[in-house]
Amino acid sequence: MSTTLEKPRPTEPAAFAAEERSTSTSVHRPGPPLANWLRAHGRDLLWLLPVLLISAVVNFLNLGGSPQRIDDEGTYTAQAWAVTHLGELAHYTYWYDHPPLGWLQIAGYTQLTGAFERWDIAVLAGREAVLVAALVSVVLLWALARRLGMSRGAAAATGLLFALSPLAVQFHRTVYLDNIAVPWLLLAFFLAMNRRGQLAAFAGSALAFGIAVLTKETFLLALPVLIWVMVRAARRETRRYTLSVAASILVLIGGSYLLLAAVKGELFSGAGRVSLIEGVTFQLGSREGSGSLADPDSLLNRTLGMWWQLDPVFIVLSLLSATAALFLPRFRPYALLLWGMTVFMLRPGGYLPVPYVIMLIPFGALLIAGVTDGAIARLRRKNATRRGLALGAVSVAAIGAVVAVPLWTTQLRGFVLADLDEPLRSAQGWLIENASPDQRLIVDDAMWVDLVKAGWDRDNVIWYYKLDTDPAVQTQSPNGWRDADYVVTTDSMRTFPGAFPQVQEAIDNSVVVARFGSGTQAVEVRRVTIDGAEQAAMTAEAAEANRAALGAQLATNPEVALSDQDRDRLTAGQVDARIIAVLATLAGSGSVSVSGFPIVSGEDGMTFRQVALSAIDGSPAVVDGVLGPDAKALVESLDGTYEPADVAIDGDTVVLRYSVSLQSTLP
């Protein structure tokens, strides 16, 4: 493509020249400022508002169902919750792995809107915050596109690509700090292109960029391109002054992070304390790399494969557009930014964070729409040179749209209909109903806040990552994994086998007591056994044989009324020994009618530990919605080992539920 399309002034892009012309020809109109503003920007709003509405609807629909909550977003949510509810910078020792400004912004949003109180699942409050940030990014992308001279239709397309690509929806719905940083980065570029009031604009750009970096440190990679945009836009007569002010502000913002660490006495490494130097060293040097692109089992391959599976069309069109945009001066900085970050993430031995792509998505959308818009404009001009290249660009965009429609339809349908988080919610609910708050849990951080809110002491809910890495947690668990009662395994915990020895020991020395979902969404609740899983299996086998023998005797007792299916469960040893003992006692003094052995959710194929009773000694178990006299007397008489963990009325039956037990309880 030729650069004749741009027709720039000798030292500035066409977009800046257009802004100058529109400024010089503007006419002051009498009337209220708001009315004047609406009159001037009415057409823009007619394009922008539908884009915002569509983006909000698609992204907020089924917010709690897809994708499944993951450990990282649980961590950032828990840190924000700790700020507002515990008055602390993090729910564990803050060790400078990331600057805290990202979750401080989430905390501020939730505090202002009451998001933590409005959502039953804490992570959803965080998701609401990052989606609001995404909508702000749509507005800023629109403004940046218009400042680059793109048509209103192309600016709208930029917003829709950014908001509706399945790759974008997946990550915009996830609580990543990158989502909070994106609007600040876009604001920085928008202000850097300002031609009026450049001192204030450049200062604002530096401030916005500093906030972006202190939100997610990887955004520092965009600094060379931002400097380029500023230098290119700066007026020659004030360039030295405006750029010096911007640089000073950026240094001051970065210095504030150093000052925070220095005030806390945590700038340099020392015995028994965290430090900023250690955090930076970990992120830049000692962190294990993502492996090689040639290794199909590497983290790099898995991450790129996940991105590709979500939206290959967007990825291909972004790279093709970035290549074409290298020949268009107004888009060249953003093309180099996208290509530079793409090359950087493929560097040998480097670590590739999964959310790295979030920073690339807005610029990919901008370049796809911008290059296509420029090609269409060229085709409309008479006697335009290189019309073949423009036609080729439009054709590629059209083919991409044809391929993307069915792909996006399928992917977006999944986002708005699938309930991928159901296994994690169910496991969380199982713990709240069946485990005791005085029991110690090793969990994925995605459920940390919810369990603490449900009554667990924060020291009894252990984020699995900390059991092997945090000295404070290790002090509270002097016996390591043996001090835990339950470990809840998720895909995050299964992704790094052996990376956390204590967690792996807890998993290896535990048995599954509840299972929810399948595949990568599977969540298992496991009861830790001090004697080891092998011994627990032997004990369980002996207990099952004992239950089968006793159940066979009970099944032949004429005083026990039950269905053939429930009789088979008794004789197969599938019913909890405490229930067998209670039924035997009731049969010894009268009669009992069993309506069934209801399955606790998640415990299919495991021992039945609930029993529903409809009558005791001929008297109804439930009368007018309350326990009958005999049922009430039974419940009051059960204590010690045979006291149920829960008593509930279900229609005309009373349901006794016993706690999880790995030991035989019958004499």
Side-chain angles (χ1 to χ4, degrees):
M1 296 182 182
S2 170
T3 58
T4 57
L5 174 62
E6 306 299 318
K7 295 184 180 178
R9 283 163 39 172
T11 60
E12 55 194 5
F16 298 147
E19 183 180 354
E20 287 285 295
R21 289 193 297 272
S22 64
T23 302
S24 63
T25 57
S26 61
V27 179
H28 175 72
R29 295 174 180 170
L34 178 60
N36 287 336
W37 187 90
L38 290 174
R39 190 160 41 241
H41 298 280
R43 291 182 63 189
D44 288 327
L45 291 176
L46 287 176
W47 282 91
L48 176 59
L49 291 179
V51 173
L52 273 175
L53 179 61
I54 294 170
S55 301
V57 169
V58 171
N59 281 277
F60 273 97
L61 275 178
N62 194 33
L63 178 63
S66 181
Q68 186 182 59
R69 284 173 286 158
I70 61 173
D71 184 72
D72 276 358
E73 58 178 337
T75 299
Y76 302 135
T77 299
Q79 288 170 325
W81 187 84
V83 170
T84 58
H85 290 75
L86 303 177
E88 301 174 11
L89 203 54
H91 58 315
Y92 286 96
T93 303
Y94 173 59
W95 64 285
Y96 299 93
D97 54 334
H98 296 297
L101 191 55
W103 61 84
L104 286 174
Q105 293 176 73
I106 296 174
Y109 175 85
T110 58
Q111 188 74 0
L112 289 173
T113 63
F116 279 126
E117 286 66 43
R118 287 187 287 103
W119 292 98
D120 294 334
I121 302 295
V123 165
L124 300 188
R127 287 188 177 183
E128 179 184 307
V130 298
L131 279 180
V132 169
L135 294 179
V136 174
S137 297
V138 169
V139 176
L140 290 169
L141 259 181
W142 166 277
L144 183 58
R146 294 291 288 152
R147 180 153 286 183
L148 283 166
M150 292 167 58
S151 67
R152 292 184 178 88
T158 301
L160 290 175
L161 286 167
F162 169 78
L164 302 185
S165 163
L167 180 65
V169 174
Q170 169 77 24
F171 284 97
H172 290 166
R173 286 180 175 220
T174 308
V175 187
Y176 282 125
L177 301 180
D178 310 64
N179 286 316
I180 303 295
V182 163
W184 293 109
L185 181 64
L186 294 175
L187 179 61
F189 276 110
F190 176 76
L191 293 175
M193 294 181 64
N194 203 60
R195 293 289 293 169
R196 294 173 295 169
Q198 281 198 337
L199 178 61
F202 280 20
S205 177
L207 176 63
F209 186 75
I211 294 174
V213 173
L214 289 186
T215 300
K216 188 61 181 287
E217 66 278 6
T218 54
F219 279 53
L220 187 62
L221 293 171
L223 180 59
V225 177
L226 181 65
I227 293 174
W228 180 16
V229 171
M230 278 188 174
V231 171
R232 195 171 69 158
R235 294 181 179 275
R236 182 175 302 172
E237 60 272 19
T238 58
R239 177 180 297 166
R240 180 177 300 178
Y241 183 55
T242 54
L243 292 179
S244 297
V245 170
S248 300
I249 290 176
L250 194 57
V251 170
L252 286 173
I253 294 173
S256 67
Y257 190 37
L258 299 177
L259 181 62
L260 169 68
V263 169
K264 296 178 65 179
E266 296 171 346
L267 181 58
F268 299 104
S269 302
R273 71 168 185 238
V274 297
S275 72
L276 174 59
I277 297 301
E278 287 181 347
V280 172
T281 301
F282 169 77
Q283 292 287 6
L284 298 182
S286 61
R287 192 166 193 172
E288 184 179 354
S290 298
S292 168
L293 190 61
D295 180 6
D297 297 322
S298 67
L299 179 60
L300 176 64
N301 252 306
R302 292 201 301 269
T303 301
L304 295 179
M306 181 185 71
W307 298 352
W308 182 265
Q309 184 179 17
L310 284 165
D311 194 352
V313 176
F314 183 87
I315 293 173
V316 171
L317 289 182
S318 294
L319 295 176
L320 289 177
S321 299
T323 302
L326 293 173
F327 301 96
L328 303 174
R330 55 177 170 155
F331 294 118
R332 189 174 294 146
Y334 307 101
L336 285 174
L337 175 61
L338 193 146
W339 266 117
M341 292 195 64
T342 300
V343 172
F344 180 81
M345 75 181 180
L346 298 176
R347 69 195 186 282
Y351 173 72
L352 176 62
V354 172
Y356 184 90
V357 72
I358 292 174
M359 183 178 173
L360 303 179
I361 292 173
F363 300 106
L366 183 71
L367 293 172
I368 292 171
V371 169
T372 304
D373 184 51
I376 292 174
R378 182 182 296 276
L379 289 176
R380 287 177 174 174
R381 290 178 179 172
K382 295 180 179 179
N383 302 321
T385 60
R386 301 192 181 181
R387 294 173 63 91
L389 290 176
L391 182 61
V394 173
S395 300
V396 169
I399 293 172
V402 171
V403 176
V405 168
L407 174 66
W408 283 27
T409 300
T410 301
Q411 295 277 43
L412 294 179
R413 179 181 174 85
F415 280 116
V416 301
L417 295 179
D419 191 1
L420 301 182
D421 196 56
E422 191 276 333
L424 195 59
R425 285 200 314 273
S426 297
Q428 187 173 298
W430 188 98
L431 286 170
I432 293 172
E433 291 183 3
N434 296 283
S436 171
D438 61 356
Q439 292 178 311
R440 180 161 289 193
L441 316 174
I442 301 174
V443 300
D444 188 299
D445 224 12
M447 59 176 68
W448 191 93
V449 173
D450 300 317
L451 292 173
V452 172
K453 290 171 66 176
W456 266 266
D457 185 278
R458 58 185 293 190
D459 293 337
N460 280 340
V461 185
I462 303 174
W463 174 22
Y464 76 90
Y465 179 84
K466 293 293 183 178
L467 188 59
D468 282 283
T469 60
D470 193 331
V473 174
Q474 292 166 351
T475 300
Q476 296 163 1
S477 303
N479 300 308
W481 64 269
R482 292 178 176 84
D483 288 329
D485 295 288
Y486 288 96
V487 56
V488 183
T489 61
T490 60
D491 186 58
S492 176
M493 297 173 69
R494 294 188 293 266
T495 300
F496 303 100
F500 306 101
Q502 286 294 318
V503 176
Q504 194 62 50
E505 286 286 343
I507 295 173
D508 292 342
N509 291 278
S510 64
V511 296
V512 177
V513 293
R515 182 183 291 109
F516 304 91
S518 60
T520 57
Q521 278 78 44
V523 181
E524 291 182 344
V525 181
R526 307 179 70 96
R527 188 74 159 90
V528 177
T529 61
I530 301 301
D531 296 330
E534 184 176 347
Q535 180 60 46
M538 295 172 60
T539 301
E541 186 177 351
E544 182 178 0
N546 188 43
R547 291 196 304 267
L550 295 172
Q553 296 178 28
L554 183 65
T556 61
N557 192 319
E559 298 298 327
V560 181
L562 70 170
S563 68
D564 291 340
Q565 185 181 37
D566 290 331
R567 201 179 306 277
D568 292 340
R569 289 169 175 165
L570 278 172
T571 58
Q574 297 174 347
V575 179
D576 191 285
R578 292 162 292 186
I579 293 175
I580 295 176
V582 170
L583 294 179
T585 300
L586 290 173
S589 60
S591 62
V592 58
S593 296
V594 178
S595 294
F597 301 110
I599 301 174
V600 177
S601 177
E603 297 185 18
D604 292 359
M606 301 175 192
T607 303
F608 293 91
R609 54 187 183 89
Q610 290 191 132
V611 59
L613 306 177
S614 58
I616 299 174
D617 203 17
S619 300
V622 176
V623 179
D624 296 330
V626 298
L627 291 178
D630 291 335
K632 184 176 181 181
L634 169 67
V635 171
E636 292 174 348
S637 69
L638 298 174
D639 57 13
T641 300
Y642 302 101
E643 181 179 1
D646 182 68
V647 178
I649 294 175
D650 183 12
D652 60 354
T653 67
V654 56
V655 179
L656 310 181
R657 187 183 77 241
Y658 284 87
S659 60
V660 174
S661 175
L662 303 180
Q663 303 296 327
S664 176
T665 55
L666 289 177

